[in-house]
Amino acid sequence: MNFFEHQANARRASARLVFLFGLAVAGIVAAVDLAAWLVAPSWKMLAFTTGITLLTILFGSLYRIASLGGGGEVVAQQMGGTLVPADTTDLSLRRLRNVVEEIAIASGVPVPKLYVLEEEAGINAFAAGFSPSDAVVAVTRGTLERLNRDELQGVIAHEFSHILNGDMRLNVRLIGVLFGILMIGLIGRKVLEYGRFGGSRNKNAGALLVAALVAMVIGYVGLFFGRLIKAGVSRSRERLADASAVQFTRQTAGLAGALKKIAGVGEGSRLSHRGDAEEVSHMLFGDGVGFSSLFATHPPLLERIRALEPGFRDEQLERLRAEWRAVPPDGLQEDIALGLVDAGAAALPGLRERVRVSPPRVAAQVATPASDDYRRADAIVDAVPEALRDLARDRETVMALLLALLLAEADDVMDAQRKVIAERLGDGAADHALRIHQQLTADLHPALRLPLAALAFPVLRLRPRPQLERFLDTVRAVIDADGQVSLFEYCLARLLQVQVRESLDPARYARFGRRKPGNVRNEFATLLAVVARSGHDDEAAARRAYLAGLQRVLPRDHLAYAPPAAGVQALDAVWEPLDALDPLAKQALVEAVTDAISSDGRVSVAEAELLRTICGVLHCPLPPMLGE
C-alpha cells in the first residue's frame, strides 16, 4: 500500500469515525430524552432536551478542537514538553535532532519541531499537529536515555508514519469529540458538587440533583463507548505505523528493540501525568496509561514484537527483564559498543546534473522513503558545509540565509536586491545576506539548495508573526527586483509561503481532498504546460512532454498545449484546486508531472526541484533523491 492509498484509507477512516461517534451522540441524546420524558412527558421538553444535549456536545467538541488550533506545539506544551533548540550541544538531544533531520529529509517533509518530556522516565513518544508543516515530535527523557540510535530511529520512523498517513488530524478530532461527549457528564458532576456543598434549599433542588445524576451517568456511559471506538481506531493505526516504520528503515531490529525495552524495563511506557496521558493515549508510541485490553489503544507488546520477530518467545523477554533489572539499558553506551555514529557514514552519491526516473516509482517514493533514502539523507546533511548548517539552525541568521539563496549572480541585479532587503530589514541583514551568498556560491552544490532550506524551515517558523510577514514580503520583493522569476526562485518562495502560512494557521489547511481529475482539467493543463516548458527549450519537445503527462492523467481529454504567458507564476492559480484532489487523483498527478519532466529520458536538477516543490505544496512529500 503506497502513500496515496494510505491517505484514501485515512479519509475513509475519518468518515467511519464520524459515523460511529454520530451513533454514540444519537444514543446519548436518546437516553437524555428518555429520562426527560419519564420525568415530564412533553414534546416541548423533548425538543428542549434534544437541543441542549446536541449543543453541549457540539460546543464542547469545537471548544477543545479550537484550543488545539495552534497545532502540534500546543499539544506538546500541554503535556509539559520542553522545546529542543536547533543549536543544542546536549549529546542525547543532538542525536535526537540528527535522527529526526535525516528521516525528515529522507521523507521529503519539513523537519518537525522537537520537544522532550523531561519529567517522564518511561519510553514513549508522539507526533501531533494538523499537517507536516506544523507537526511536532515529542519524546520522553526515558526514550533518550534507554534507546540506542537504531531503536530511536525506529520510534521516530513510527511517528513519521503518523505524520505522513494523516493520522494526526484524526487524533486531534478524536480528542475534540471525546471532550464533547464528556461535557454531559462533567456538567452533571459539577451540578451535583454544587448541590452537595452549596447547601441549596430551593424546593426544586431535589429534581435538579436527580437530573444532574442522570446526566452524569449518561455522559459517562457515552464516554465509555467513545473510548471503545477510540481504542479500536487507534489499535489499527498503530499496527499500520509499526509496519510503515519497518518499510521506512528497512530493518526490524530497531523498532523491535524499542518495544522489548518498553516490555522489559520497570518504567515501561507509562506517563506520570495520567490525566493528560489519557486524553492523548491514542497518539502515543506505547501505552502511556495502562488501560485494560477493552480500552487499550495499542496492541499487546508481545504481539507487536512478534509481528517484527516471529520467533521471539516469552522466556527471552524474561531474560531481558532480569538483565535490565540488574543494569538498566543506556542507549548512548550501546551506541559506543555497537560502533554507531550520528550521521555521515554513507558516501554521498554523485550529485549529477541529470538522472533517470520512472513515474510509477516516483509516485511510490512519496512519503515512503527506503533504506537508501536514509543513507542519502545522512550524506546530504554531511555534504552541506557545517558553517551553512549552523546558519540554518540559528534564529538570528536563518532569514539572511534563505534570502542569500535567492540572490542573483549579476552584480546589477544583486545591488537592486540588496537595496530591497535593506529597505525592509535593515543594512545589517542585507550585508549579512551578501556575505552568506558568497559562501553559497563557493561551497554549495545546486542540488543541496532545497535540502539546506528544509533544515532552515523549522527555525524560521520560530520567528514572531509580524517578522514572518515582513520576511515573506521581502522575499517577494527580492525575486521581483529584476522583473523576472526563475524556476528556483519560484520553488523556494512557494515552499516558504506554504511553510509559514500553514505554521501560522495550521487548522485551516488540514483537510482531505475529494475532487476528481475531471473537475480540474484547466488546472492540470496549466501545470503540465508550465512543467513541460520549464524543462524543454525546444517547442516540439515541450509539446511532447505536455501530451505525455496529459495522457496519463486525462487520457480521454484533448486539451491543447498552451503555455501561459505568465510562465511559472501561472501556477499560483492552480495550487488550491489541485490540493483539493482526492489522494488517488494526486497519485495520478505526481505520475503525470513525472512523465512530463522525464519525457526526454532525463531529469535536470531544476526539474527535480520543481517536481519536489509541486509535491511539497500539494502535501505529497518526496524523498530528496530521484532515480537510481
Side-chain angles (χ1 to χ4, degrees):
M1 186 180 295
N2 65 19
F3 166 77
F4 302 100
E5 292 164 336
H6 283 313
Q7 288 280 298
N9 282 345
R11 193 185 73 184
R12 288 191 289 269
S14 294
R16 287 195 297 270
L17 185 66
V18 170
F19 175 72
L20 290 172
F21 276 109
L23 289 180
V25 170
I28 292 171
V29 171
V32 172
D33 286 349
L34 177 61
W37 184 266
L38 292 175
V39 174
S42 164
W43 291 109
K44 288 184 178 181
M45 176 61 73
L46 205 62
F48 176 77
T49 56
T50 298
I52 289 296
T53 305
L54 288 174
L55 286 175
T56 300
I57 295 173
L58 175 63
F59 283 114
S61 298
L62 292 178
Y63 164 78
R64 191 67 185 103
I65 292 174
S67 71
L68 302 173
E73 200 165 9
V74 174
V75 179
Q77 290 170 352
Q78 289 182 1
M79 291 293 295
T82 301
L83 181 67
V84 177
D87 57 352
T88 179
T89 57
D90 182 283
L91 185 58
S92 59
L93 296 181
R94 186 71 258 163
R95 180 182 63 158
L96 170 67
R97 181 164 286 282
N98 287 342
V99 168
V100 171
E101 286 178 351
E102 290 159 13
I103 295 179
I105 290 174
S107 305
V109 300
V111 180
K113 290 181 181 178
L114 298 179
Y115 278 78
V116 174
L117 309 184
E118 293 286 1
E119 304 300 322
E120 300 292 350
I123 300 170
N124 224 319
F126 66 84
F130 288 94
S131 71
S133 294
D134 79 295
V136 160
V137 171
V139 302
T140 60
R141 174 52 66 175
T143 299
L144 297 179
E145 292 178 351
R146 301 300 182 206
L147 302 188
N148 63 44
R149 194 179 195 283
D150 281 347
E151 293 163 349
L152 182 62
Q153 186 186 60
V155 171
I156 298 301
H158 174 104
E159 297 309 321
F160 265 75
S161 169
H162 289 309
I163 294 173
L164 295 166
N165 292 330
D167 295 343
M168 295 190 303
R169 284 171 287 190
L170 193 65
N171 289 336
V172 171
R173 288 166 184 161
L174 274 170
I175 291 175
V177 174
L178 282 173
F179 185 83
I181 290 176
L182 180 61
M183 282 289 291
I184 301 294
L186 287 176
I187 291 173
R189 191 177 73 183
K190 292 298 182 184
V191 172
L192 283 176
E193 290 174 355
Y194 175 80
R196 178 181 176 185
F197 298 109
S200 174
R201 297 177 181 176
N202 189 298
K203 62 180 181 181
N204 295 320
L208 181 62
L209 292 177
V210 170
L213 178 62
V214 170
M216 187 179 74
V217 171
I218 292 173
Y220 281 98
V221 168
L223 184 63
F224 171 86
F225 288 105
R227 284 178 174 169
L228 279 181
I229 296 169
K230 180 179 81 168
V233 171
S234 177
R235 285 194 295 269
S236 67
R237 306 308 291 173
E238 290 302 314
R239 291 187 179 96
L240 174 60
D242 281 350
S244 296
V246 172
Q247 186 177 5
F248 288 176
T249 59
R250 290 296 192 269
Q251 54 99 357
T252 61
L255 185 61
L259 293 170
K260 290 174 188 175
K261 285 182 177 176
I262 289 176
V265 301
E267 301 88 355
S269 57
R270 291 185 302 276
L271 299 185
S272 58
H273 295 86
R274 182 184 173 92
D276 293 333
E278 194 285 321
E279 188 175 37
V280 302
S281 59
H282 58 296
M283 304 170 67
L284 300 173
F285 172 74
D287 181 3
V289 181
F291 275 140
S292 65
S293 58
L294 190 64
F295 295 111
T297 51
H298 296 68
L301 278 171
L302 277 175
E303 177 187 319
R304 294 175 72 182
I305 296 170
R306 286 170 179 156
L308 302 168
E309 294 183 8
F312 188 77
R313 299 186 304 276
D314 291 0
E315 51 267 32
Q316 292 175 275
L317 180 58
E318 289 304 320
R319 284 198 297 271
L320 289 173
R321 282 175 175 158
E323 176 185 332
W324 288 329
R325 274 196 299 269
V327 181
D330 185 318
L332 289 175
Q333 291 302 315
E334 289 179 18
D335 282 350
I336 295 171
L338 293 170
L340 298 174
V341 294
D342 276 347
L348 182 66
L351 289 168
R352 298 155 290 168
E353 290 300 324
R354 305 179 74 85
V355 296
R356 295 180 181 274
V357 297
S358 158
R361 290 190 64 181
V362 169
Q365 278 184 274
V366 171
T368 313
S371 55
D372 57 339
D373 289 310
Y374 288 108
R375 289 194 296 272
R376 287 166 172 169
D378 290 348
I380 285 171
V381 172
D382 267 1
V384 176
E386 185 175 357
L388 295 177
R389 277 182 275 157
D390 290 341
L391 292 173
R393 291 165 175 158
D394 189 335
R395 272 187 65 160
E396 302 306 316
T397 59
V398 65
M399 292 197 296
L401 171 66
L402 292 168
L403 290 170
L405 286 167
L406 294 168
L407 294 181
E409 295 302 323
D411 289 340
D412 57 335
V413 178
M414 192 185 302
D415 288 341
Q417 291 175 322
R418 185 210 174 281
K419 182 178 179 181
V420 163
I421 298 173
E423 288 173 349
R424 288 164 172 78
L425 301 179
D427 287 325
D431 292 338
H432 197 183
L434 290 179
R435 290 195 299 271
I436 295 174
H437 177 71
Q438 294 173 353
Q439 288 180 261
L440 295 171
T441 302
D443 301 334
L444 193 70
H445 189 283
L448 296 173
R449 293 178 299 186
L450 285 186
L452 176 60
L455 291 176
F457 287 157
V459 182
L460 176 68
R461 296 196 299 262
L462 298 176
R463 309 291 299 203
R465 180 187 289 264
Q467 290 185 16
L468 289 174
E469 291 173 348
R470 189 162 62 251
F471 171 72
L472 288 181
D473 176 65
T474 306
V475 167
R476 287 189 289 269
V478 166
I479 291 173
D480 293 338
D482 61 352
Q484 301 177 23
V485 179
S486 71
L487 198 57
F488 174 74
E489 287 174 338
Y490 183 84
C491 289
L492 180 55
R494 173 52 61 173
L495 288 174
L496 279 169
Q497 185 178 0
V498 169
Q499 286 294 306
V500 173
R501 179 192 66 186
E502 294 190 1
S503 68
L504 292 177
D505 192 6
R508 179 180 175 186
Y509 298 100
R511 63 180 182 276
F512 287 116
R514 298 183 178 276
R515 286 191 177 186
K516 302 298 181 184
N519 297 327
V520 288
R521 291 181 179 87
N522 293 333
E523 287 81 2
F524 265 119
T526 299
L527 175 65
L528 292 173
V530 170
V531 169
R533 184 63 175 272
S534 299
H536 303 84
D537 295 327
D538 178 70
E539 190 74 10
R543 181 176 285 102
R544 286 195 298 272
Y546 168 81
L547 293 174
L550 193 67
Q551 178 65 26
R552 183 173 289 271
V553 72
L554 293 170
R556 298 180 182 178
D557 289 304
H558 302 282
L559 300 170
Y561 171 62
V568 70
Q569 291 176 282
L571 296 181
D572 288 346
V574 310
W575 298 127
E576 187 171 348
L578 293 181
D579 197 29
L581 286 168
D582 78 15
L584 297 181
K586 283 188 180 180
Q587 177 177 353
L589 181 152
V590 172
E591 293 182 2
V593 172
T594 306
D595 253 327
I597 66 173
S598 63
S599 65
D600 57 357
R602 302 281 182 172
V603 179
S604 68
V605 169
E607 289 174 313
E609 288 176 337
L610 179 57
L611 174 59
R612 187 159 292 106
T613 299
I614 292 169
C615 289
V617 174
L618 300 181
H619 303 95
C620 304
L622 195 62
M625 300 290 280
L626 303 175
E628 306 202 358

